[in-house]
Structures are given as C-alpha cells and as structure tokens.
Amino acid sequence: MLHFELVTPERLVRSEEVHMVVVPGSEGDFGVLEGHAPIMSTIRDGNIELYKTGATTPELIRVEGGFAEVNERGLTVLAERAE
Amino acid sequence: MANLKELKGRIASVKSTQKITKAKQMVAAAKLRKAQAAAEAARPYAQRLEGVVASLASKVGASDNAPRLLASTGKADTHLLLVANGDKGLSGAFNANIVKAAILKARTLIAEGKTVKFYLVGRKGRAVIARTFPGAIVGQFDTTAVRTPGYDEARAIAKDVTDRFFAGEFDVATLFYSHFRSALAQVPTEQQLIPVSVPESAVPATGAAVEYEPDEETILADLLPRNLTVQIFKALLENQASEQGASMTAMDNATRNAGDLINRLTIQYNRSRQAAITTELVEIISGAEAL
C-alpha cells in the first residue's frame, strides 16, 4: 500500500494507506503506486484521484496550487487549498 | 481618613473592574484553545515545506542562477524588520515584548551602520516604533478588519514584502513574532525570511536521485514565495495563541489583585464603621454622665 498525505496550510487533510493516487502534475497527470521512484512536481489546479483499492471508482479531491513529492516514505501533496 | 461613603464607592468600582477582567480572562481561555489548535494544525505543512525547500536549496543554492529570494542581493545594507503584533491590549506584556525585541535588533543594526526599515502588522506597537525611529516605518498591514488573520492575510503580506524586495527597497528581511510555548510562556522570536535561511537539520538525507518536473529552478521559484507566505502564516497563528495566553495570564493576575484590593478596602471600611460607632457611644455616655 502507498502512504498518502494531503496537507494544506490550515491542516493535515488526509493521511492514509491507499492503492494508487493520480496527481494532476503541471506537466501532465501521473499515477503513483507503492514503490514509485522519487519525484517532485508542481501541480496544477485540478482533481486528485484516490483509489483506495485496485477495483473501486476513484474518490476525487479538488486541490489548488502546490506540489507533490514522492519519496521512500510515500506521497505527500502540499496544496494551498483542498476540499 | 476616607469616609464611609467614599470607601463604599471604591469597593463598588473595584468590584466592577474585577468583573471585566474576569470576563476577559474566560474569553481568552476559550479563544486560546481554538488558537492553539489552529497553530498546531498548521505545523505539518510548514515542516514539510521547510524540508522540501531545504533539500532543493542544497541542490540549487550554489549555482549562479539561484532565485534571488534564496541568494539575496549579495548585500546586507538595508534591513526590513517585519513586526507582527496584535490589535488589542489587555494582554500583559505581549505586544511590548515583541516591540522590545525588534527595537533591540534595530539598535544593533544601526550601530553596525545599516539602514533599518519597519513593516508593521497589527495596530499595536506603531506609536512606540514611530517615536523611537521617526520615519523608519515604510509600510503596515491592517488586521483590524478581520477577526482572525488567516492564510489570505499572510499571502497579502508576503506579496507586499516580496514586491518591495524586488523593487530593491531592502536586502534582508527579519520577522518578529511571539512563539507560543505554553499559556504561561510566550517567547519573542526573530526569524530571517529573506534570504531564506535553511536549517541544516531540515535537509533530509536521501541517497536516491529525485526527478523534478519541471526543473529544480522552476520549482524553487514557485516554492520560495509560498514558503514565505507559510512562514508569515505560522507567525500569525503563533501570535494569536500567544496573545490569548498572555491575555489569560494577565487577566488572571488582575482579577486576583482586584480581589486582594477588595479585601483590604472592606477591612478598612469595617474599621471606620466601628470607629464611628465607638465615637458616637462615647459621646452619648459622656453626655449622660454630665447630666
């Protein structure tokens, strides 16, 4: 499972284990699974697609402004705003 | 010696003052809990952002095309002191401590031959700084219109400050605010905002090669203004918690002092009353004996 964190300046919105996350990167969407290579990308305003397991419809979280970082601990999305 | 009516009046007035300080103390206690929660909720973002900025800065920092917010202008002649204060009083030495720290720093800088400018956030402290350093206040941000300064205010302040930086108004910016340690202890703190100071401990030791999208410089250029906003936002939240904490302590003391004063005045009142009765009795008895 992939450890996913979504943080805004006001609070920690999400911190959970998920199957896959699709991040709206500024140079194109990219999916992150467990064991993804380290990457750092700015994000554009759009929806994060959150797949809790492999076979569910994704949960959409709207984010604005920020960036995503993948390291050995998992995926962290820092967004100015998130719903 | 004060007569009975005067004493009665004074007791009543101290009692009503005590009611005010007591109410203010309870309001501060309630607000403190909220402000503290907000300050704690904001920490993860600030920490993670700091980590990312640190790791990027250690990569890009040495190169020539590093962003100016990171590398500064190369000089340190003009300093901008950002002083974040509250809007209201009745909070003990909260505002005074921040202003004192800023003035101390300004004196040292002036002694070193630097130019000092002030940028004020909040209504308090303006008069003192204007009197000590006439004409040094270049800007101020009014927070009286909003109940609790939030991220939007922090962004507006950060934008104003970066605009001034790129206009060449100053070389180094330092932020003064009150760090919230506990309800009893608030520490006036200074933090260098521009150029960004990267604490060594914040650099994560990762061996893996990280891929950047777009390149490091672009990310950093996007990140640094955001980091500035977040640092100011954090300071505003810390300040709010500190202000309520200081207010609670100050009002608690005031309430207790008022209680002591009431006790003393009541004893004095009773003594005067007894003295008056005794005098009257003596007068009656000696009058009766004279007959």
Side-chain angles (χ1 to χ4, degrees):
Chain A
M1 293 297 266
L2 170 78
H3 184 66
F4 166 68
E5 281 189 353
L6 176 60
V7 197
T8 68
E10 272 95 9
R11 67 203 168 93
L12 183 66
V13 183
R14 290 291 174 88
S15 176
E16 58 193 352
E17 305 296 318
V18 295
H19 175 66
M20 179 172 84
V21 181
V22 177
V23 182
S26 53
E27 298 196 335
D29 291 7
F30 59 93
V32 181
L33 283 155
E34 189 190 359
H36 194 286
I39 182 173
M40 189 177 293
S41 170
T42 49
I43 56 174
R44 59 168 207 277
D45 299 354
N47 291 323
I48 286 180
E49 291 172 27
L50 197 67
Y51 295 82
K52 289 260 167 66
T53 61
T56 46
T57 46
E59 183 189 349
L60 297 181
I61 308 171
R62 167 112 191 131
V63 291
E64 281 172 30
F67 64 97
E69 186 195 15
V70 180
N71 56 25
E72 68 277 11
R73 290 187 299 278
L75 166 69
T76 309
V77 177
L78 299 180
E80 297 236 313
R81 279 176 216 281
E83 276 154 25
Chain B
M1 185 145 170
N3 66 34
L4 288 178
K5 193 165 184 304
E6 258 172 38
L7 278 173
K8 224 174 184 174
R10 278 185 66 191
I11 290 173
S13 109
V14 175
K15 262 187 184 154
S16 71
T17 307
Q18 191 188 28
K19 262 184 202 140
I20 294 170
T21 58
K22 184 108 197 225
K24 174 79 181 139
Q25 184 208 337
M26 289 193 286
V27 169
K31 279 189 179 168
L32 172 67
R33 220 164 299 144
K34 234 166 118 189
Q36 204 177 340
E40 271 159 19
R43 271 180 202 152
Y45 189 91
Q47 272 168 8
R48 287 189 179 79
L49 196 62
E50 199 174 34
V52 173
V53 169
S55 67
L56 270 173
S58 63
K59 287 204 177 69
V60 182
S63 65
D64 290 336
N65 50 357
R68 280 173 66 200
L69 282 175
L70 184 70
S72 180
T73 51
K75 311 176 286 187
D77 297 336
T78 312
H79 286 248
L80 183 77
L81 305 188
L82 242 95
V83 187
N85 268 313
D87 284 323
K88 295 184 188 101
L90 286 186
S91 51
F94 165 71
N95 291 307
N97 280 343
I98 299 174
V99 171
K100 215 192 286 168
I103 287 179
L104 203 69
K105 172 86 175 172
R107 288 234 167 87
T108 346
L109 287 173
I110 288 171
E112 288 169 10
K114 317 263 192 222
T115 316
V116 173
K117 292 176 178 175
F118 284 95
Y119 186 93
L120 304 183
V121 179
R123 203 165 58 87
K124 285 279 170 183
R126 186 184 168 79
V128 183
I129 290 173
R131 195 161 358 103
T132 323
F133 303 101
I137 298 176
V138 289
Q140 83 161 347
F141 189 85
D142 189 15
T143 51
T144 42
V146 282
R147 188 185 290 258
T148 50
Y151 196 71
D152 293 335
E153 282 73 33
R155 184 153 41 191
I157 297 167
K159 190 178 178 318
D160 198 0
V161 171
T162 37
D163 285 350
R164 284 166 193 274
F165 177 70
F166 287 120
E169 283 190 35
F170 64 90
D171 306 313
V172 180
T174 314
L175 173 68
F176 288 86
Y177 67 100
S178 183
H179 175 73
F180 179 79
R181 193 184 285 162
S182 73
L184 293 172
Q186 300 86 30
V187 193
T189 310
E190 61 170 276
Q191 182 188 0
Q192 189 172 315
L193 288 179
I194 303 172
V196 178
S197 62
V198 179
E200 290 294 319
S201 57
V203 180
T206 46
V210 183
E211 203 177 310
Y212 293 95
E213 244 186 67
D215 54 295
E216 286 102 317
E217 278 89 4
T218 319
I219 296 186
L220 202 53
D222 178 63
L223 218 61
L224 286 172
R226 198 162 285 159
N227 182 48
L228 191 69
T229 309
V230 169
Q231 296 308 327
I232 293 173
F233 179 60
K234 194 186 79 184
L236 289 179
L237 290 179
E238 292 270 345
N239 246 4
Q240 268 163 54
S242 296
E243 184 177 7
Q244 299 307 336
S247 173
M248 201 176 86
T249 321
M251 289 304 112
D252 186 41
N253 279 338
T255 310
R256 213 168 310 142
N257 282 345
D260 290 348
L261 194 56
I262 289 171
N263 283 344
R264 269 215 311 281
L265 287 173
T266 313
I267 288 171
Q268 205 185 339
Y269 173 78
N270 287 342
R271 283 212 182 114
S272 314
R273 195 171 58 92
Q274 275 174 350
I277 293 170
T278 315
T279 322
E280 271 173 34
L281 279 177
V282 169
E283 272 166 15
I284 293 167
I285 292 165
S286 55
E289 272 172 1
L291 284 177

